[in-house]
């Protein structure tokens, strides 16, 4: 077992009607003024925003609002949010939405609490020293940003999607009411399920000697998400299935499934982030489209690990032949993704990058040849290009 730190400072308030507690939770922090940050309209349509505002008013908490966050959240709105917060003397940000809204809130929080251009933190030329406190009312189980140390923003200049990780941005509280996810279209629910699975799979596939307890938590978490994704296909209003998936989403990305395994691979995420930045695809769908190609490209580095995944997660028969079982596991994973109506190729994402765009994706993903990605196999710009092409 590798040495590790496990830091999860976020207070989780889980269950039906839990959003009613939001005003009280914010009041407890002693903050003076809140920015309520939200997306492109679902929270207005469902009436959630009104309920949040009522709860704040009841507790005498003053607020301003800023909507308009889009999936693959944009830097320009982050700048707007920073200006607004400074002007209004905001000292707490409440994100009401999914990963995109939470990540935008975190970026605004960095921008207010630190000098200079917030994009520097995403380009990794500087590191943040603080962040405004963040609270979350989650409306989609997916990115895990409600408990993660991460924020991912897209800069419209060059369409670069980049992440910034630090403990400063960890949410003070996360309100998780599975009922709030019942208004999601099937596609978004399934994108979310893929993302949750992938946050654990990224940590599962590492070079490091595995850890029994973490492996078992990881394998079961993925299995529970698969089972409940299937239930939601038939019965989208099933509370128990929504609840299992919501809790899995937070645990999948708060570090638990990586304890003692030294970080994880994360190549599939890096590959997807470029697709999201350039082609604005939904994050979970992009991951499903690329994973099989990545897995086949790297499987020879560690067939034993892939075979364990095949047998314990995909329930493939143990033939005693690691490589054959590993390949069967990859096929089965893709079959599962297809069964929940997720794409398993870039073409199925509904985009057709040109040859030059495939090269551009590889350039951007490798930071123009300056970095490799992945741990199972360190992938160079040329490897990255091949994985994109094989996923075509
Ligand atoms: O904007 P609205 O109108 O709210 O619509 C959203 C959006 O179109 C809709 N939606 C959300 N909750 C809904 C709803 N529609 C109806 N009913 C509801 N209850 O769903 C769409 C997707 O929302 P989004 O926030 O983009 O989804 P997700 O949570 O998947 O977030 C994706 C973003 O998170 C990043 C991704 O790269 C992507 O930019 N990630 C962030 C991570 C982190 N910070 O730790 C880790 C992840 O790996 C990921 O990279
Ligand atoms: Zn993800």
């Amino acid at each position: 077992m590798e040495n590790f730190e496990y830091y999860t400072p976020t207070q989780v308030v889980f269950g039906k009607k839990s959003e009613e507690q939001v005003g009280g939770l914010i009041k407890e922090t002693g903050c003076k003024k809140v920015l309520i940050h939200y997306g492109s309209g679902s929270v207005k349509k469902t009436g959630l925003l009104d309920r949040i505002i009522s709860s704040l008013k009841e507790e005498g908490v003053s607020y301003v609002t800023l909507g308009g966050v889009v999936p693959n959240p944009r830097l320009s709105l982050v700048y707007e949010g920073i200006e607004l917060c400074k002007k209004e003397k905001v000292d707490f940000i409440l994100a009401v939405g999914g990963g995109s809204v939470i990540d935008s809130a975190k970026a605004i929080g960095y921008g207010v609490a630190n000098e200079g251009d917030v994009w520097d933190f995403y380009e990794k030329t500087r590191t943040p020293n603080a962040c405004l406190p963040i609270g979350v009312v989650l409306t989609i189980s997916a990115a895990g940003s409600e408990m993660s140390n991460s924020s991912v923003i897209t800069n419209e200049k060059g369409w670069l999607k980049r992440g910034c990780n630090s403990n400063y941005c960890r949410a003070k509280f996360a309100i998780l009411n599975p009922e709030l996810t019942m208004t999601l279209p099937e596609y978004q629910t399934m994108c979310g399920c893929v993302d949750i699975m992938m946050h654990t799979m990224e940590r599962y596939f590492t070079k490091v000697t595995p850890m029994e307890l973490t492996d078992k938590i990881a394998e079961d978490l993925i299995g529970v998400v698969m089972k409940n994704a299937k239930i939601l296909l038939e019965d989208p209003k099933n509370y128990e299935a929504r609840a299992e998936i919501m809790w899995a989403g937070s645990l999948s990305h708060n570090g638990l499934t990586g304890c003692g395994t030294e970080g994880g691979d994360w190549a599939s995420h890096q590959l997807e982030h470029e697709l999201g930045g350039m082609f604005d695809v939904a994050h979970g769908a992009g991951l499903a489209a690329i994973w099989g190609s990545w897995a086949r490209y790297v499987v020879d580095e560690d067939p034993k690990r892939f075979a364990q995944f095949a047998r314990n997660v995909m329930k493939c028969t143990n033939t005693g032949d690691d490589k054959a079982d590993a390949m069967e596991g990859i096929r089965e994973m893709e079959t599962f993704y297809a069964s929940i109506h997720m794409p398993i190729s870039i073409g199925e994402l509904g985009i057709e990058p040109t040859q030059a765009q495939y090269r551009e994706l590889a350039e951007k993903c490798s930071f123009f040849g300056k970095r490799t990605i992945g741990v199972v196999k360190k992938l160079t710009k040329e490897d990255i290009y091949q994985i994109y092409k094989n996923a075509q």
Side-chain angles (χ1 to χ4, degrees):
M1 192 194 303
E2 296 294 314
N3 295 353
F4 66 92
E5 277 182 30
Y6 180 52
Y7 180 62
T8 54
T10 306
Q11 177 185 1
V12 173
V13 183
F14 193 101
K16 293 178 182 173
K17 300 196 174 158
S18 47
E19 69 277 13
E20 289 174 2
Q21 297 180 45
V22 67
L25 284 165
I26 295 178
K27 197 174 178 186
E28 270 175 30
T29 68
C31 79
K32 303 266 179 302
K33 194 160 196 181
V34 178
L35 172 71
I36 304 176
H37 201 31
Y38 60 94
S40 305
S42 74
V43 296
K44 282 190 168 168
K45 222 157 82 192
T46 59
L48 177 62
L49 186 61
D50 287 342
R51 299 207 304 280
I52 300 281
I53 288 175
S54 300
S55 174
L56 264 61
K57 281 183 176 162
E58 262 170 41
E59 298 291 342
V61 176
S62 45
Y63 64 89
V64 287
T65 60
L66 179 64
V69 180
V70 293
N72 300 312
R74 306 290 149 81
L75 183 62
S76 55
L77 191 72
V78 169
Y79 287 145
E80 204 182 307
I82 293 168
E83 285 312 306
L84 179 65
C85 286
K86 285 182 175 168
K87 187 169 139 244
E88 295 286 341
K89 302 204 173 7
V90 162
D91 56 1
F92 190 97
I93 306 180
L94 179 68
V96 186
S100 296
V101 174
I102 304 167
D103 286 3
S104 182
K106 288 174 172 177
I108 293 170
Y110 283 137
V112 176
N114 296 274
E115 295 295 318
D117 186 351
V118 71
W119 184 247
D120 295 347
F121 305 139
Y122 293 80
E123 283 209 304
K124 299 183 175 53
T125 53
R126 291 191 301 137
T127 50
N129 298 313
C131 184
L132 282 191
I134 309 285
V136 174
V137 178
L138 191 67
T139 64
I140 171 172
S141 314
S145 185
E146 67 278 8
M147 287 187 90
S148 82
N149 66 350
S150 172
S151 159
V152 190
I153 297 294
T154 297
N155 188 341
E156 296 96 320
K157 274 192 202 140
W159 295 104
L160 294 170
K161 187 172 175 180
R162 296 284 177 262
C164 169
N165 292 1
S166 92
N167 280 328
Y168 296 116
C169 76
R170 299 244 192 204
K172 299 293 170 216
F173 64 77
I175 292 179
L176 309 180
N177 176 357
E179 289 176 313
L180 299 181
T181 67
M182 288 186 187
T183 49
L184 280 165
E186 179 193 285
Y187 183 73
Q188 288 296 344
T189 297
M190 296 306 148
C191 283
C193 290
V194 174
D195 197 17
I196 294 167
M197 291 163 63
M198 284 296 303
H199 291 155
T200 290
M201 285 155 69
E202 295 275 24
R203 291 175 168 91
Y204 187 87
F205 291 105
T206 68
K207 275 275 183 189
V208 175
T209 316
M211 189 191 140
E212 190 179 350
L213 179 60
T214 297
D215 271 7
K216 286 196 157 57
I217 292 171
E219 288 163 357
D220 277 357
L221 188 150
I222 299 167
V224 166
V225 176
M226 290 170 71
K227 176 181 155 197
N228 287 287
K230 287 281 201 178
I231 292 173
L232 290 183
L233 271 185
E234 300 302 320
D235 182 12
K237 302 258 189 252
N238 186 310
Y239 178 84
E240 293 305 325
R242 292 265 172 207
E244 296 289 349
I245 287 173
M246 191 165 234
W247 188 219
S250 296
L251 293 184
S252 194
H253 205 30
N254 77 351
L256 177 68
T257 60
C259 287
T261 66
E262 213 186 65
D265 184 81
W266 298 103
S268 301
H269 265 72
Q270 303 305 334
L271 292 160
E272 192 290 325
H273 282 168
E274 295 314 326
L275 280 174
M278 270 177 74
F279 297 100
D280 207 18
V281 299
H283 174 62
L287 289 170
I290 208 83
W291 184 79
S293 175
W294 168 83
R296 287 191 183 85
Y297 200 83
V298 306
V299 63
D300 286 331
E301 302 293 318
D302 199 352
K304 199 164 174 290
R305 188 72 172 155
F306 277 88
Q308 180 184 327
F309 178 79
R311 293 164 192 151
N312 293 357
V313 179
M314 304 315 297
K315 309 295 178 201
C316 298
T317 307
N318 184 347
T319 64
D321 178 342
D322 281 349
K323 177 68 190 289
D325 291 357
M327 296 306 284
E328 182 61 13
I330 296 168
R331 265 193 302 278
E332 283 295 313
M333 188 79 256
E334 287 184 320
T335 304
F336 172 77
Y337 284 153
S339 78
I340 59 165
H341 310 148
M342 283 287 105
I344 52 172
S345 69
I346 290 176
E348 287 180 21
L349 279 168
I351 58 172
E352 277 181 50
T354 61
Q355 183 62 25
Q357 284 173 323
Y358 276 114
R359 285 280 170 208
E360 189 181 342
L361 282 165
E363 287 287 349
K364 286 178 165 171
C365 191
S366 66
F367 289 4
F368 305 93
K370 289 202 198 78
R371 72 160 178 178
T372 59
I373 60 166
V375 170
V376 174
K377 182 179 169 72
K378 284 195 190 317
L379 302 168
T380 63
K381 184 168 76 178
E382 196 50 37
D383 295 321
I384 291 168
Y385 171 75
Q386 283 306 329
I387 292 173
Y388 281 129
K389 286 292 283 179
N390 296 346
Q392 201 170 352

